[in-house]
Every structure is written in structure tokens, then in C-alpha cells.
Amino acid sequence: MERVIAHSDLNCYYASVEMLRNPRLRDVPMAVCGSRAERHGIVLTANYIAKRRGVKTGMANWEACRVCPGLYTVPPRYSDYLQFSAFVRDIYSEYSDRIEAFGIDESWIDLTGCVSSFAQGEKAVHEIRGRVKRELGLTVSIGLSDNKVFAKLGSDMKKPDACTVIPKEKFREIVWPLPVGDLLYVGRATEVKLRSRYIETIGGLARADPGNLKRWFGKVGLVLYAFANGEDRTQVAACGVEPPVKSVGNSHTCPRDLACDQDVKIMIYALSDSVGARLMEYGLKATTVEFSYVNTDLTAHAVRQAKLESPTDISGEIADAAFKLFKRHYSHWPSPLRKIGVRGCGLVSADLPQQLSLWEDAAQAESKEELERTVNCLRGRYGNKVIQRAIMYLDTDLSGVDAKRDHLIHPVGLFKSGAIQI
């Protein structure tokens, strides 16, 4: 049976929801922006009036206002965006039970078996697009193909409020002339490497020697080769089926630049408290801790990892490992840090039997777990400041960060723009 896969992309999603809430914003250049006070001052999305005047996703607020004088900015309201995202998926669910979210504003919809033919699938996506516009007041671009990669490519080709069909028998003439950077999972760094080897289009990638691609990029090179040739067979997940959690982490743009070890330690503890609490909620433990950073002028960023002696969901142990990574890789302080992140990786079930060393006290380890659960419970009920570490009182600006509560929800477009680096 021929596969019928659609990919939907809500146009200027955050801005579109804001314009629904306040129709007067439809006729002025406007953008949804993060908080300048909290140093999240970048454009999350903008309406088409602002985009035509040069405002781009990921642009700093001040830069957006410079290229577009009179730009009206509003803060994000994630509860509204989540609500409308659920409304849209309710419409999709009337056409298929296999809907896979790709961020808050994009989804794949597998229509295979739900329609009698590929031509009927084309009629269905036009109907979906019309219903989203008529019933919710939002516009959506939809791509239709026989695989997820080309369906995603189709939704990017025409915006706003459009459908693009890439049939299996015509994908070469439609897809191959496009820039290689348009292909899903070809990031900026990969695109630069491909272009340096004179592979500038998707067709050029499809005709490249697979052996060379494997030598240049490893197994990823062969995956991209298959994608360019329309050989993606990836399945669309069923409704309600979430992919397994592979890591739990938080990164945060700090209230001020971090200039000493104490600053970093305070922020690491603030982030690790969130990571540990979320691991416990998921019933998972981390076997590896990751520390990441961006310096103050955005010229240097890196991610470093260390394997733990035993899996943990204890925030203090996560923080200690992250701080050791920082000291090992940034103790020379070439410049202040603007943003840092802590992540638990290599996750295993918290119920997995654990081998203790001769020097470990099982009762003490169990008491530590119980204490951590009690602290997390109190914070969840009464707020993050009900119980704090003593070090947090050394700098109330930094310790005021609540990484768990303030976790940002970014539209997929922000990652496409390159604004999210770690």
C-alpha cells in the first residue's frame, strides 16, 4: 500500500495566536519576544508584516526594533499556545490516529489506510487546512508525500496557508533542485561541509558517492543519502505515544554574566535542582552528566560530558559532577559566561538494581533519596524558595532562577534559525 504522509506547520504560530487574542495586532508589525529583563530578549516569532520588514526569528529584540521601527512586541503566553495546539490536533485526530508532534507548532499525520488513495490524501489535507482556518482562525502549511522527510520539506515550500504535494513519481523534479540545506536534519555545519565539497543541492547529495558521504560524516552521511533519494521509511507515531525520554536538562540565560566560580556554582545548583526533580518525576536516573556554556559575547560555546560512578537522580550529585566539568574545561576564565546548562543523559529506570561499592551505605543512600523526594514535594507545593541551599543566599539575583517553572517552550522555527545553540 502506498504511504500517504502529511506534515503540518502552523504559520507564525505564536504571533497568530496573539493576533487572535487581540485582532488589532493584525494590521501592525508585531513579534512575540522573550523578556529583556531576564535576558531572553530574542524574537520567538513575528507576523508577516514584521517579517517583510526584516524581522527574523532568533533576532535580538533591540535589533528587531532597529530594522522595523514601530515594532509592537508582546511576551509569550505558553498556556495559550499549548491550548490552541491541542485544538489543532483534535482536528487532525478526526483523520488519523497516527499523529506525531514535532514541537508545539508542527505535526506529522499518517493518512495511510485512512484514505483510499494518494489523491484522496491530497483532498484530505486541503480539507484539514480549510478547517483549521475556518474553525480556529489559524493558517497552516501542509506538505504531502510518501515519507516524513519530503512531507516536512513540502510544508516549508509554500507559506502561508498552502498545501504542497510531492508524489513519489515526481520527487526528483520537485526536490532535487532545492538547496541541500532545505533537507531535514541537514544543519548549518553539515551544509557548510557539503558545500565545501561542491554538493549544493539535494539532487547533488542524492547523486553523491555513498562511500564518500560515510567517510565524511559517518553513518549520518548514509542516512542523509537515503533521505535525498526518497528512501525514508520512518513510521509516524500513534496518538498518545511519546518517544522515550533520552535526556533531562535545563539551560538558562543568566540574569547577569557569570564572572567567578561562585556564580557558576549557584547557577549549576539552580539548574541541577530542576534536573533532579524531573528525573524523579519520570522515574529515571542519569548515568552521565553534561555541562554546557555560552560566553558573554557568544563567540564560544561547548558541551562536555562525564560518566558517573553510579546512576543518580540526586540534585547535589548532579551539581557536583557538572561543577567538576566546568572546572576541568573552563577554570582559566577566558571571558565571563552568559548561559550555562546542565543535563542528565544515559537514562536508566530508577527501579533498576544498583551495585553498591564496599564503601557505600545502602541505608544512607535510601535516606538521601527520601530527603530529596521530600524537598521536591515541598517545592512543588509551596514554591522553589521554601527550601534552599545556603549558597543560594550569597546572590539573590542568580538564586532567584527557577529553571523547572521557567522552562521555555520554543517553536521549531527558533531551532531552524540557529538561535538555539545548546
Side-chain angles (χ1 to χ4, degrees):
M1 178 183 293
E2 184 180 19
R3 299 178 79 203
V4 186
I5 310 294
H7 181 272
S8 65
D9 184 355
L10 292 160
N11 305 135
C12 301
Y13 181 52
Y14 288 8
S16 296
V17 173
E18 295 298 335
M19 289 187 290
L20 279 178
R21 296 297 195 193
N22 184 357
R24 289 177 295 180
L25 298 177
R26 294 174 180 170
D27 301 319
V28 300
M30 65 82 64
V32 179
C33 301
S35 167
R36 289 188 185 183
E38 297 177 5
R39 306 180 80 200
H40 299 143
I42 60 173
V43 174
L44 299 175
T45 189
N47 67 4
Y48 281 104
I49 298 175
K51 286 186 174 183
R52 284 193 290 268
R53 297 185 185 180
V55 178
K56 298 179 180 179
T57 298
M59 184 178 279
N61 290 7
W62 64 266
E63 187 180 4
C65 292
R66 180 177 59 80
V67 301
C68 182
L71 179 69
Y72 189 91
T73 63
V74 297
R77 293 188 287 188
Y78 298 114
S79 59
D80 288 357
Y81 310 148
L82 289 168
Q83 181 184 45
F84 274 90
S85 181
F87 291 159
V88 172
R89 286 180 189 146
D90 283 344
I91 292 177
Y92 299 162
S93 66
E94 295 183 31
Y95 296 84
S96 175
D97 62 347
R98 294 182 297 281
I99 303 165
E100 181 180 338
F102 188 54
I104 192 174
D105 51 344
E106 302 187 25
S107 297
W108 278 287
I109 310 166
D110 190 347
L111 297 169
T112 309
C114 303
V115 293
S116 58
S117 65
F118 192 85
Q120 289 298 314
E122 186 174 351
K123 290 183 179 179
V125 296
H126 280 289
E127 184 176 310
I128 290 171
R129 180 178 62 86
R131 286 190 59 187
V132 171
K133 186 174 185 179
R134 184 174 63 254
E135 297 176 22
L136 299 176
L138 300 171
T139 61
V140 61
S141 293
I142 303 179
L144 185 71
S145 189
D146 71 319
N147 65 76
K148 291 172 69 174
V149 171
F150 286 172
K152 172 74 175 73
L153 188 65
S155 70
D156 289 334
M157 289 178 67
K158 294 179 185 177
K159 295 180 182 290
D161 194 20
C163 290
T164 301
V165 180
I166 304 177
K168 184 176 182 179
E169 63 274 10
K170 293 184 179 179
F171 82 85
R172 292 176 180 81
E173 60 189 80
I174 298 172
V175 172
W176 281 9
L178 298 174
V180 70
D182 287 358
L183 190 67
L184 187 62
Y185 304 124
V186 175
R188 288 188 175 185
T190 302
E191 181 182 4
V192 169
K193 291 179 183 178
L194 287 169
R195 289 184 179 277
S196 72
R197 292 170 171 85
Y198 306 102
I199 299 175
E200 299 187 350
T201 65
I202 296 176
L205 176 60
R207 292 186 290 266
D209 182 89
N212 287 336
L213 292 173
K214 185 177 181 180
R215 188 164 59 253
W216 297 334
F217 302 103
K219 292 181 180 179
V220 172
L222 297 180
V223 172
L224 295 178
Y225 174 81
F227 286 174
N229 281 285
E231 296 172 3
D232 169 39
R233 296 292 97 188
T234 310
Q235 298 297 310
V236 177
C239 291
V241 175
E242 297 291 336
V245 177
K246 295 184 178 179
S247 66
V248 172
N250 281 93
S251 60
H252 200 88
T253 301
C254 307
R256 61 170 175 79
D257 290 339
L258 308 181
C260 65
D261 288 4
Q262 179 179 287
D263 290 349
V264 174
K265 184 172 285 190
I266 291 172
M267 281 300 300
I268 282 178
Y269 272 121
L271 297 171
S272 298
D273 282 345
S274 169
V275 174
R278 290 163 61 203
L279 284 170
M280 280 196 170
E281 286 179 8
Y282 299 150
L284 298 169
K285 291 187 177 184
T287 62
T288 300
V289 168
E290 177 182 289
F291 174 76
S292 57
Y293 65 84
V294 178
N295 72 345
T296 187
D297 57 4
L298 309 181
T299 57
H301 57 88
V303 179
R304 299 288 182 259
Q305 289 188 341
K307 189 82 171 176
L308 299 172
E309 290 185 5
S310 58
T312 187
D313 54 7
I314 304 298
S315 59
E317 295 176 0
I318 294 167
D320 289 345
F323 188 72
K324 286 178 182 177
L325 281 168
F326 156 73
K327 291 294 288 181
R328 189 182 307 156
H329 298 285
Y330 209 78
S331 58
H332 55 301
W333 278 103
S335 62
L337 297 178
R338 174 185 175 87
K339 178 179 182 178
I340 67 171
V342 176
R343 184 173 297 277
C345 310
L347 305 185
V348 297
S349 171
D351 296 329
L352 194 70
Q354 187 172 327
Q355 178 67 53
L356 298 176
S357 74
L358 292 173
W359 317 113
E360 289 181 281
D361 186 328
Q364 187 178 23
E366 188 174 344
S367 295
K368 191 185 294 185
E369 287 265 359
E370 285 303 314
L371 176 61
E372 189 90 356
R373 290 185 188 281
T374 301
V375 170
N376 290 338
C377 182
L378 288 169
R379 285 175 174 168
R381 190 167 185 176
Y382 300 109
N384 198 49
K385 293 187 178 181
V386 67
I387 295 180
Q388 286 191 298
R389 302 173 191 274
I391 193 175
M392 299 307 218
Y393 290 94
L394 296 177
D395 191 309
T396 54
D397 287 338
L398 297 179
S399 63
V401 169
D402 187 343
K404 191 169 187 288
R405 185 198 63 192
D406 297 336
H407 188 62
L408 296 180
I409 303 171
H410 295 299
V412 171
L414 195 61
F415 293 86
K416 294 177 190 172
S417 73
I420 302 298
Q421 300 182 56
I422 60 174

